[in-house]
Amino acid sequence: MGFVDYEVKGNYAVITINREKALNALNSEVLEDLDKVLDGIDPDTVRAVVLTGAGEKSFVAGADIGEMSTLTKAEGEAFGKKGNDIFRKLETCPIPFIAAINGFALGGGCEIAMSCDIRIASENAMFGQPEVGLGITPGFGGTQRLARLVGPGMAKQLIYTARNIKADEALRIGLVNAVYPAEELLAEAEKLAGMIAGNAPIAVRACKKAINEGLELPMDEAIALEEKLFGSCFESEDQKEGMANFLRKKDDPAKVKHVAFQNK
Ligand code: CAA
């Protein structure tokens, strides 16, 4: 649809931000299309999502500077909220998201990648929060998620200097998990999505919730949250079959089989 493509490939999906002539920059229309795509994901069939950008040059080159250039203070705040609400929807969606960063991930592009669960990049990827060079702060969560991901000292240096970094440096500071040649990136992202989608969905989703929500809590409350989510997996068909499969294997290795988890 519009500026955002959505393709279901078996038990995972690929979302492609597709405004290539503007390097996939996020204007209001792109954001609204993305919001609709997120609302349309069917959690009964889709167990992992790959997010990428159209073309070979850019993942997302940021929020649309032309659109932002004439905003008032109130409109600027509303635009920030619009992006933040959608990125938060993505971040709290129970299904894991993998950002396949195939080029520029600047400003809002770096910010949407940081809203995903896992980030992998192509060798030509470039990251940065260039906002202070434009006279604004990062506005779609960059000050918060970058500091949480790479630590406040490194985040402050990157944000205050507006310096862009290449994929190898992003890997070194922990902003991405892996770097691949450009032509291999999407296949690697889909391989990861397939591996995640092959595991018990109820358990994977509980892990996402435990990690995301637990990181915001003091340790005693965080482990209590884990206990609840751990308990919530029991009595599910997938838990029973996953464990029965292990016990059958122990009994007789010839009985090894792949468990087709049912999301039940
Ligand atoms: N907004 C609007 N249009 C953009 C854009 C953006 N963020 N980034 C690129 N484009 C457009 C360019 O205007 C250009 O359009 P035209 O062909 O109509 O002129 C087209 O995409 C191609 O871009 P370039 O010609 O500039 O390509 P390049 O290869 O020379 O440079 C680039 C690539 C280094 C990414 C450069 O385009 C650039 O610096 N873009 C802006 C990056 C940026 O500052 N992003 C942060 C935005 S602020 C933000 O995101 C705030 C927030 O936190 C919410």
Side-chain angles (χ1 to χ4, degrees):
M1 89 149 71
F3 288 116
V4 181
D5 301 331
Y6 181 61
E7 188 183 2
V8 176
K9 294 184 155 186
N11 55 9
Y12 67 90
V14 178
I15 294 177
T16 307
I17 302 193
N18 192 349
R19 192 187 171 215
E20 203 179 335
K21 71 176 173 50
L23 303 183
N24 306 319
L26 303 171
N27 62 14
S28 288
E29 257 183 283
V30 179
L31 288 170
E32 281 153 23
D33 287 350
L34 177 63
D35 196 28
K36 284 187 205 131
V37 165
L38 294 177
D39 285 340
I41 295 173
D42 175 6
D44 289 334
T45 51
V46 172
R47 299 179 179 183
V49 177
V50 172
L51 176 73
T52 194
E56 291 167 5
K57 192 170 165 184
S58 183
F59 172 68
V60 170
D64 192 289
I65 298 170
E67 181 173 341
M68 288 186 295
S69 62
T70 57
L71 298 184
T72 62
K73 285 181 196 294
E75 288 166 345
E77 188 175 334
F79 188 62
K81 179 165 167 48
K82 185 175 198 151
N84 274 333
D85 286 351
I86 297 166
F87 290 12
R88 189 73 179 135
K89 185 182 280 185
L90 187 163
E91 186 173 47
T92 58
C93 172
I95 303 158
F97 274 68
I98 301 155
I101 301 152
N102 56 317
F104 295 115
L106 303 175
C110 190
E111 291 168 314
I112 196 169
M114 292 191 291
S115 306
C116 294
D117 296 272
I118 294 168
R119 282 156 295 285
I120 61 175
S122 56
E123 285 166 348
N124 66 324
M126 173 90 78
F127 299 80
Q129 297 291 159
E131 286 88 350
V132 295
L134 296 163
I136 56 173
T137 68
F140 292 166
T143 56
Q144 302 310 306
R145 292 194 181 91
L146 189 60
R148 283 164 170 77
L149 266 172
V150 304
M154 183 59 77
K156 285 174 175 172
Q157 185 173 331
L158 289 172
I159 290 171
Y160 299 168
T161 61
R163 184 172 71 88
N164 293 341
I165 58 170
K166 293 184 179 163
D168 57 346
E169 190 170 351
L171 180 65
R172 187 172 56 72
I173 65 172
L175 185 53
V176 300
N177 291 3
V179 178
Y180 297 100
E183 61 280 8
E184 292 170 20
L185 178 69
L186 198 56
E188 290 294 340
E190 292 192 33
K191 201 194 303 176
L192 255 180
M195 284 175 72
I196 293 168
N199 288 322
I202 293 169
V204 171
R205 291 168 199 186
C207 290
K208 175 165 177 171
K209 193 173 168 67
I211 295 169
N212 280 3
E213 293 182 18
L215 279 172
E216 305 301 322
L217 297 171
M219 185 56 84
D220 285 329
E221 289 171 42
I223 55 176
L225 172 68
E226 187 191 75
E227 287 156 16
K228 267 209 157 337
L229 289 162
F230 176 66
S232 75
C233 297
F234 288 84
E235 300 178 53
S236 66
E237 285 181 28
D238 287 346
Q239 174 261 325
K240 287 182 193 156
E241 180 50 26
M243 292 191 179
N245 182 55
F246 175 81
L247 296 172
R248 278 196 298 270
K249 276 194 307 201
K250 267 183 96 167
D251 224 25
D252 175 359
K255 287 186 182 153
V256 173
K257 66 163 184 153
H258 172 73
V259 178
F261 289 110
Q262 300 299 313
N263 192 18
K264 285 183 189 148

